[in-house]
Amino acid sequence: RRYPTVELRAETFNGSTHVPVPSDSAFLKALLFELRLVDDHVFVEQRDTCTRINHSCVYSVSTAAGELWPVLAFHKSGLIYACVPLVEGTLEPRPPLLTVSGLSQGLALLLGIMDYISPSRKNEAEMNAKIGQLRNLLIQACPLGTPLNTNIRSLNSSFEDIQEMPVDKDQPAWRSSTYKGKPQVNVCITEKVKCMQYDQRDVVDTWQVYGAVNCKCDIEGSAPNVTLSLNLPTNAPPLQDIVVHHCVTSVDPAMLLSTSAEPLHDSVYNGPYKFPFIPPSDSFNLCYYTSQVPVPPILGCYQLIEEGSQIKITVNLKLHESIKNSFEYCEARIPFFNRGPIAQLEYKVSYGQLDLSREKSLLVWVIGQKFPKSLEVSLTGTLSFGTAGKEHPTDYVCTGNTAYVKLYFRIPDFTLTGCYVDQHSVQIFVPGKPKITASRELISSDYYIWNSKAPAPMVYKPLLD
């Protein structure tokens, strides 16, 4: 496939020094020569000199218009997989490979194509059929030159539904296929909470919430219109830093101006947050947001004290009363870096169970699916260690008594902001009664509780004199 829009961007970036991609036949001839798949018995200084030894699968291909770079290509099982990624900048001087994001995107796409084709390489008829389907599959995987889905194999089942060109001129480019059947919309709000707790007077605890609204709209028509609203409970903190998908047709500008970089004030936009859009064919994230919630879901205190050859630990956790006490899972992991395997362990837990990892360097406190009625749990223990070996974990940051507890949890049908989708507010302008499914979840992400008896590696001091 060739993408004229991508080639136009390349020409814009490089101006008079731009080297255009030659015709397919000329490009193939030049690539075969560069890969030493033709004339390999003849020494050609331009290609075979020691100064051009390639240590990667990125090549500079000689064409009539000049050196075409970068060309990503590799030879596998009798097939050549190649693409010409866009460098978003000038090519003189050549940028380092690691700075060219198009190379990693192109490699992921080529590996996805290889994964799709390679199982059929021993059956020539089947392989030819798959290669024949590739053009249609690439319309869905890489519609405008940017890879959206590099798992080509996952697209195989729907290739018959893909249209080479939209039948309806009003069909947007991001709707690469049309749906036939009963209309249905699935919406899932996923919020992730990051947290750093120190339990120290001169260090401020911090927590952040990040939300994403994922949608999958199976709706007939070339350009169906959908309107979805996000709602918040009364007095809930507003959504901020909202970023919307390009398929959203219009939004209230005040919604996009609310930013967490500025203090909250009465005039801030607090919903409802309406998103009219024409959905893509596959699942997509309609929007992302943050919010300044008043409290973290679980408050913790961790104390680790070294007494001679032993270590004494105390962990206290409390679930905030505003949080839904129904977990899919909840556990606290307590690693011990730069020490040997745990040789002796005496402990007491008020709730749940404590497990020791196979390598004997990690305690896993499984709290389970509910906190007790008191909403508080505690762990106390005394540990001693054996001689450290190479297989035991080390960490340059967590040395001495600087250590942490990391929490892992998921609460289904709950969000920390209270954000939800009212199923009755979802508007779909198509005939028939659509089926609306809405769900939400809260997941921990980098949720740390640092040892209060030692300095934490990164602190957030209060902005006070």
Side-chain angles (χ1 to χ4, degrees):
R1 287 194 61 83
R2 302 177 76 104
Y3 296 94
T5 53
V6 179
E7 294 188 45
L8 183 61
R9 289 186 66 199
E11 187 175 354
T12 303
F13 280 124
N14 292 283
S16 60
T17 61
H18 172 66
V19 177
V21 180
S23 66
D24 291 356
S25 58
F27 176 77
L28 177 59
K29 184 178 179 181
L31 181 62
L32 290 173
F33 178 81
E34 183 63 32
L35 294 176
R36 295 178 174 85
L37 296 175
V38 294
D39 297 333
D40 60 325
H41 60 285
V42 179
F43 176 80
V44 180
E45 185 173 353
Q46 181 186 0
R47 178 191 66 181
D48 301 320
T49 176
C50 293
T51 59
R52 288 200 63 184
I53 296 176
N54 253 25
H55 298 286
S56 70
C57 51
V58 180
Y59 297 89
S60 178
V61 175
S62 297
T63 70
E67 292 284 318
L68 182 64
W69 183 92
V71 176
L72 185 61
F74 57 88
H75 184 226
K76 186 76 174 177
S77 303
L79 294 174
I80 299 170
Y81 300 85
C83 68
V84 183
L86 173 68
V87 178
E88 297 187 90
T90 58
L91 295 177
E92 295 295 339
R94 285 185 183 176
L97 295 182
L98 288 176
T99 65
V100 182
S101 60
L103 285 172
S104 56
Q105 294 175 347
L107 181 60
L109 183 64
L110 293 181
L111 291 176
I113 294 173
M114 185 182 74
D115 181 59
Y116 165 70
I117 289 178
S118 58
S120 308
R121 62 187 180 85
K122 293 183 180 179
N123 185 327
E124 189 174 347
E126 184 180 335
M127 187 174 72
N128 288 338
K130 282 194 170 184
I131 292 175
Q133 296 163 11
L134 257 184
R135 181 174 178 82
N136 286 338
L137 292 175
L138 282 172
I139 294 174
Q140 193 170 7
C142 189
L144 297 174
T146 300
L148 301 180
N149 186 350
T150 57
N151 186 1
I152 308 298
R153 188 184 293 182
S154 70
L155 306 175
N156 188 28
S157 60
S158 60
F159 79 91
E160 291 176 350
D161 298 329
I162 300 171
Q163 303 166 17
E164 186 71 24
M165 290 295 291
V167 175
D168 191 327
K169 64 179 182 179
D170 296 325
Q171 180 170 336
W174 58 85
R175 278 188 69 80
S176 55
S177 62
T178 54
Y179 172 78
K180 299 291 184 184
K182 186 177 180 181
Q184 52 187 0
V185 175
N186 292 298
V187 185
C188 179
I189 303 174
T190 299
E191 286 188 356
K192 293 186 177 181
V193 54
K194 292 187 175 185
C195 193
M196 291 279 180
Q197 296 182 37
Y198 303 97
D199 191 35
Q200 295 184 16
R201 186 173 298 176
D202 61 337
V203 185
V204 177
D205 294 345
T206 64
W207 56 92
Q208 298 166 306
V209 179
Y210 303 89
V213 181
N214 184 268
C215 298
K216 178 71 167 72
C217 302
D218 294 324
I219 305 170
E220 291 187 358
S222 58
N225 288 292
V226 181
T227 299
L228 183 148
S229 295
L230 299 181
N231 298 283
L232 293 173
T234 307
N235 299 325
L239 304 184
Q240 296 176 292
D241 305 321
I242 298 174
V243 179
V244 300
H245 192 273
H246 60 75
C247 71
V248 175
T249 53
S250 65
V251 289
D252 189 322
M255 184 194 306
L256 303 179
L257 292 174
S258 177
T259 168
S260 57
E262 298 176 1
L264 290 174
H265 48 82
D266 294 338
S267 63
V268 73
Y269 190 91
N270 57 5
Y273 303 87
K274 283 195 172 184
F275 300 91
F277 60 95
I278 299 173
S281 308
D282 297 318
S283 65
F284 68 103
N285 286 328
L286 177 67
C287 69
Y288 300 91
Y289 62 84
T290 68
S291 183
Q292 300 180 42
V293 295
V295 291
I298 298 175
L299 291 166
C301 172
Y302 178 35
Q303 293 184 349
L304 181 151
I305 303 173
E306 207 158 351
E307 294 183 354
S309 60
Q310 291 186 328
I311 282 180
K312 290 189 175 181
I313 62 168
T314 303
V315 184
N316 294 308
L317 302 175
K318 181 179 181 180
L319 181 68
H320 194 270
E321 57 268 17
S322 65
I323 306 302
K324 181 181 178 183
N325 190 9
S326 179
F327 294 77
E328 181 181 308
Y329 58 85
C330 181
E331 66 182 40
R333 298 184 185 181
I334 312 169
F336 295 94
F337 299 110
N338 311 307
R339 306 176 190 273
I342 298 172
Q344 287 186 320
L345 170 63
E346 296 179 7
Y347 69 92
K348 181 180 179 181
V349 290
S350 67
Y351 195 79
Q353 67 180 51
L354 191 69
D355 297 325
L356 180 62
S357 66
R358 183 180 297 177
E359 68 276 9
K360 297 185 177 181
S361 61
L362 175 72
L363 295 180
V364 181
W365 181 12
V366 180
I367 297 165
Q369 296 180 323
K370 271 187 179 294
F371 274 66
K373 286 186 178 180
S374 65
L375 302 182
E376 296 185 36
V377 293
S378 63
L379 159 69
T380 57
T382 304
L383 303 88
S384 59
F385 299 86
T387 305
K390 290 183 179 180
E391 71 278 8
H392 292 284
T394 59
D395 193 289
Y396 295 107
V397 174
C398 298
T399 57
N401 289 355
T402 299
Y404 61 78
V405 174
K406 189 173 183 181
L407 298 187
Y408 296 82
F409 57 82
R410 178 182 180 269
I411 307 178
D413 194 28
F414 180 81
T415 50
L416 198 54
T417 61
C419 183
Y420 66 97
V421 173
D422 182 359
Q423 298 183 32
H424 300 292
S425 70
V426 179
Q427 298 177 331
I428 305 176
F429 302 98
V430 292
K433 187 177 181 181
K435 179 183 177 183
I436 312 294
T437 305
S439 60
R440 54 185 187 161
E441 60 183 357
L442 176 67
I443 301 174
S444 63
S445 171
D446 296 332
Y447 205 105
Y448 291 94
I449 301 167
W450 290 93
N451 176 23
S452 61
K453 296 296 184 181
M458 294 178 68
V459 296
Y460 298 86
K461 302 254 182 207
L463 299 175
L464 299 173
D465 294 331

